[in-house]
């Protein structure tokens, strides 16, 4: 009779442990990952990943299903942003714009992000207003983004070197935002329009390029829409 008593005691202990376990811990792994995928704050995601090993795995699974990732308005640095992008293996739209709270991404962050598996499949990238990036980071990133269709690098300090990299690696590009890129010259624009036959729209507001140069772009691509009004109400790239 003694073994039965011990077995009964063990069963009661297990039942009590299940009763004390939070209901959320009993969620199937796929359902937990889906719930976490609804979180818009990456700070909250990071906190969720620290709950337990099971939650950390669920965070990774939720990131793997994301098609769009936006750091706009988030307090994000190079390492944390790169870590999240590397986990988002099915990503198509990446927005690391500088928001009101400051997305502090530098060339170091872009170099790390450029090694992510998803970069070659990205169709939209926004680097709007990132004062800490230069040609070094942008060139490395776009050189691997061969599926890119929409690019927003307005409000940055890039030069023609970045446009040459876009022209040589992003043949499917359809739109580009260059608002206030004051270090870009007519030579960079000509290279871009000449080598990106799918290019439909280019925003050049605030640039130091003469009107005659813009007329030259239309001689290369008559259907090109050249916009000079700063469309920064929603600075993130819109994916068609």
């Amino acid at each position: 009779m003694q073994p039965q008593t011990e077995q009964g005691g063990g069963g009661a202990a297990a039942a009590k442990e299940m009763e004390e376990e939070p209901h959320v811990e009993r969620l199937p792994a796929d359902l937990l990952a889906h719930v976490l995928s609804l979180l818009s704050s990456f700070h909250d995601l990071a906190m969720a990943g620290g709950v337990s090993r099971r939650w950390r795995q669920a965070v990774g699974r939720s990131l793997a299903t994301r098609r769009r990732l936006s750091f706009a308005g988030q307090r994000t640095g190079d390492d944390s942003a790169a870590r999240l992008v590397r986990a988002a293996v099915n990503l198509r739209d990446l927005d690391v714009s500088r928001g009101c709270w400051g997305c502090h991404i530098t060339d170091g962050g872009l170099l790390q992000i450029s090694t992510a598996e998803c970069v070659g499949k990205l169709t939209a990238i926004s680097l709007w207003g990132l004062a800490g990036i230069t040609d070094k980071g942008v060139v490395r990133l776009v050189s691997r983004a061969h599926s890119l269709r929409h690019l927003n690098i307005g409000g940055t300090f890039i030069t023609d070197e970045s446009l040459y990299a876009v022209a040589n690696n992003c043949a499917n590009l359809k739109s580009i935002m260059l608002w206030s890129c004051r270090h870009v010259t007519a030579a960079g624009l000509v290279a871009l329009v000449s080598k990106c036959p799918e290019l439909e729209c280019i925003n050049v507001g605030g640039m130091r390029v003469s009107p005659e140069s813009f007329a030259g772009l239309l001689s290369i691509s008559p259907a090109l829409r050249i916009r000079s009004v700063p469309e920064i109400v929603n600075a993130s790239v819109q994916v068609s």
Side-chain angles (χ1 to χ4, degrees):
M1 297 296 295
Q2 184 66 24
Q4 293 180 359
T5 302
E6 292 178 355
Q7 184 176 0
K16 183 179 180 181
E17 183 177 345
M18 287 187 64
E19 290 177 359
E20 294 176 349
E21 184 181 44
H23 291 293
V24 70
E25 288 289 352
R26 303 178 198 172
L27 289 175
D30 289 342
L31 182 56
L32 178 58
H34 174 70
V35 170
L36 293 176
S37 71
L38 301 178
L39 293 177
S40 59
S41 168
F42 295 104
H43 173 73
D44 292 343
L45 266 182
M47 294 294 288
V51 171
S52 66
R53 180 181 179 184
R54 184 168 181 269
W55 278 53
R56 185 163 57 252
Q57 292 173 340
V59 167
R61 186 174 298 186
S62 73
L63 285 169
T65 64
R66 291 196 181 224
R67 306 280 288 187
R68 185 176 191 274
L69 204 56
S70 175
F71 297 103
Q74 307 277 348
R75 290 186 179 274
T76 310
D78 290 338
D79 294 338
S80 56
R83 184 166 58 251
L84 291 169
V85 173
R86 282 196 293 264
V89 294
N90 289 303
L91 200 63
R92 296 295 182 273
D93 184 344
L94 175 62
D95 180 5
V96 288
S97 303
R98 181 179 178 86
C100 57
W101 292 104
C103 180
H104 301 291
I105 304 296
T106 68
D107 282 338
L110 295 188
L111 294 177
Q112 292 185 61
I113 290 173
S114 69
T115 65
E117 179 182 343
C118 65
V119 170
K121 296 175 286 187
L122 289 176
T123 59
I125 297 175
S126 178
L127 306 175
W128 167 261
L130 293 180
I133 64 172
T134 67
D135 291 323
K136 179 180 179 181
V138 175
V139 168
R140 181 73 67 86
L141 180 61
V142 300
S143 293
R144 294 198 59 223
H146 302 299
S147 300
L148 195 62
R149 298 174 64 195
H150 306 276
L151 177 62
N152 184 346
I153 42 179
T156 65
F157 297 103
I158 63 153
T159 71
D160 290 343
E161 185 177 351
S162 289
L163 292 196
Y164 295 149
V166 174
N168 291 326
N169 295 280
C170 308
N172 298 316
L173 192 70
K174 288 185 174 294
S175 69
I176 186 168
M177 165 80 83
L178 294 169
W179 188 81
S180 198
C181 290
R182 297 176 180 269
H183 301 288
V184 168
T185 71
L189 294 176
V190 168
L192 183 71
V193 175
S194 299
K195 293 190 175 183
C196 296
E198 302 294 323
L199 191 61
E200 299 173 353
C201 181
I202 181 171
N203 189 306
V204 295
M207 294 179 64
R208 295 172 177 170
V209 178
S210 68
E212 293 77 17
S213 297
F214 297 139
L217 298 181
L218 292 176
S219 68
I220 300 172
S221 178
L224 181 66
R225 300 197 307 274
I226 301 177
R227 297 178 178 175
S228 59
V229 178
E231 301 168 352
I232 57 176
V233 175
N234 180 11
S236 62
V237 176
Q238 299 298 313
V239 182
S240 60

